[in-house]
């Protein structure tokens, strides 16, 4: 029995989500191998080899993998699948694009967004926007799994795995990379940030989100938003935290002007410490907050920035 982790990376380094996925794989029993499929990706492969618990890193280096096209990476995974009892990918946009293709071709049921491994064939995953936890047992010979990264601590460095170069599969020809537009920011990436300051519809406009910037600057925080704020056009889509946005679990989450719809709570309630600022004392956000402050955010936030110095 062995597990294969599909590494998420940018060819130069591993994404943090890969470390959480490796941690889940280690709980499945047996050896853990990591597939690094990319182009000129030796640096990412070297980083994977240093993760504690990884016994082998499989490197598929070729132009078809350079931009992370799911169709091509899925073909490479399928070429290896018969040797593994578990195939795991992070429950990110990257992993969610690859794993279903693999599961469908293997004719097995995908086990999505696990947060706990009870046994090699039994897993826990949230359902109903996180209001219930389902325990799922799979009898499939190969279990295809996506891992909710907030459910597992990152696997630490300290290993020395063997690196094996594979013969890369041919381009599937099913998709073509056209271009990529990256949002540039000096702030931490939302899903990796230790502190997040999020705003909701209570801010009233996109311009009013600027009131949160000094607070985020003081704390070295990423900025996020509720779906209501994103749908209203206040901020970009990639700021959205929630069931249909990004799942986060920072050390500190500050929710400003967010009522706390169930979909938003599903995306942030695993944060270590939650602070809520809202003028409505009955706002649902207070049900999950460790600290709540009832007041007008336009008065409270500047005062908080002043107190932080």
């Amino acid at each position: 029995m062995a597990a294969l982790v599909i590494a998420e990376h940018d060819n130069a380094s591993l994404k943090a989500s890969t470390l959480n996925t490796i941690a889940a794989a280690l709980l499945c029993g047996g050896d853990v191998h990591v597939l690094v499929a990319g182009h000129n990706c030796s640096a990412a492969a070297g980083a994977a080899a240093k993760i504690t618990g990884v016994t082998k890193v499989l490197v598929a280096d070729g132009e078809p993998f350079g931009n992370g096209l799911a169709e091509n990476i899925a073909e490479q995974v399928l070429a290896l699948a018969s040797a593994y009892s578990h195939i795991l990918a992070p429950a990110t946009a990257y992993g969610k694009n690859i794993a279903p293709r693999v599961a469908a071709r293997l004719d097995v049921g995908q086990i999505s967004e696990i947060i706990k491994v009870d046994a090699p064939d039994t897993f826990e995953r949230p359902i109903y926007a996180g209001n219930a936890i389902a325990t799922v047992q799979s009898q499939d010979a190969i279990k295809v799994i996506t891992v909710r990264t907030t459910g597992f601590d990152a696997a630490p460095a300290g290993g020395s795995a063997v690196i094996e170069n594979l013969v890369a599969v041919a381009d599937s020809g099913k998709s073509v990379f056209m271009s990529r537009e990256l949002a540039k920011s000096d702030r931490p990436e939302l899903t990796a940030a230790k502190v997040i300051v999020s705003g909701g519809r209570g801010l009233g406009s996109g311009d009013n989100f600027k009131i949160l910037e000094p607070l985020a600057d003081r704390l070295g925080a990423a900025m996020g938003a509720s779906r209501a704020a994103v749908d209203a056009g206040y901020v970009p889509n990639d700021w959205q935290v929630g069931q249909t946005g990004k799942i986060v679990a920072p050390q500190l989450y500050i929710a400003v002007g967010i009522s706390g719809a169930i979909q938003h709570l599903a995306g942030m309630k695993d944060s270590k410490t939650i602070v809520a600022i809202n003028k409505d004392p009955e706002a649902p956000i207070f049900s999950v907050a460790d600290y709540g402050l009832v007041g007008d955010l336009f008065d409270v936030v500047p005062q908080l920035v002043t107190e932080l110095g």
Side-chain angles (χ1 to χ4, degrees):
M1 185 168 64
L4 179 68
V5 172
I6 304 169
E8 182 173 7
H9 61 91
D10 61 3
N11 293 309
S13 61
L14 296 177
K15 299 291 186 182
S17 59
T18 301
L19 306 183
N20 305 101
T21 306
I22 290 171
L26 290 168
L27 297 173
C28 294
D31 291 340
V32 173
H33 299 175
V34 176
L35 171 64
V36 178
H39 186 46
N40 297 327
C41 57
S42 59
K50 295 177 182 178
I51 304 303
T52 298
V54 175
T55 54
K56 184 183 291 186
V57 176
L58 304 173
V59 183
D61 197 319
E63 288 189 16
F65 306 128
N67 292 296
L69 294 178
E71 292 83 355
N72 292 338
I73 295 174
E75 291 297 330
Q76 186 66 64
V77 174
L78 288 164
L80 303 168
S82 61
Y84 296 96
S85 57
H86 298 73
I87 297 174
L88 301 93
T92 58
Y94 178 84
K96 289 178 180 180
N97 204 5
I98 298 170
R101 301 171 191 277
V102 173
R105 291 279 297 278
L106 293 175
D107 195 24
V108 300
Q110 179 178 303
I111 307 167
S112 301
E113 300 211 26
I114 67 166
I115 58 171
K116 187 177 179 182
V117 178
D118 291 333
D121 65 349
T122 308
F123 313 90
E124 295 182 20
R125 59 180 299 269
I127 58 174
Y128 303 130
N131 284 291
I133 303 300
T135 299
V136 180
Q137 187 175 43
S138 171
Q139 296 181 349
D140 290 327
I142 302 175
K143 295 159 185 62
V144 178
I145 300 165
T146 60
V147 177
R148 179 170 287 194
T149 56
T150 57
F152 299 87
D153 292 333
S160 56
V162 174
I163 296 178
E164 179 181 323
N165 292 308
L166 303 175
V167 176
V169 298
D171 191 330
S172 67
K174 295 177 180 178
S175 61
V176 177
F177 177 78
M178 300 299 291
S179 65
R180 178 182 286 119
E181 294 183 17
L182 299 176
K184 295 182 180 179
S185 175
D186 293 330
R187 300 190 187 282
E189 201 279 321
L190 191 57
T191 56
K194 293 183 178 179
V195 181
I196 296 174
V197 175
S198 275
R201 188 162 45 192
L203 278 117
S205 72
D207 286 341
N208 287 342
F209 260 77
K210 293 178 182 177
I211 197 174
L212 302 182
E213 293 179 0
L215 179 58
D217 290 339
R218 289 283 195 282
L219 298 172
M223 291 185 64
S226 66
R227 178 173 179 173
V230 171
D231 285 350
Y234 297 168
V235 293
N237 287 348
D238 59 1
W239 285 30
Q240 185 178 326
V241 173
Q243 185 181 16
T244 54
K246 294 180 179 178
I247 308 296
V248 299
Q251 296 296 316
L252 174 62
Y253 188 88
I254 302 177
V256 182
I258 294 175
S259 63
I262 188 172
Q263 292 87 351
H264 186 77
L265 299 184
M268 46 66 72
K269 66 182 182 181
D270 289 331
S271 304
K272 303 301 183 289
T273 301
I274 300 171
V275 176
I277 301 171
N278 200 294
K279 65 182 181 182
D280 178 8
E282 301 300 322
I285 191 72
F286 289 123
S287 68
V288 299
D290 298 287
Y291 301 94
L293 182 54
V294 178
D296 188 328
L297 68 89
F298 296 103
D299 294 328
V300 171
V301 173
Q303 291 178 38
L304 183 56
V305 172
T306 300
E307 289 295 325
L308 289 171

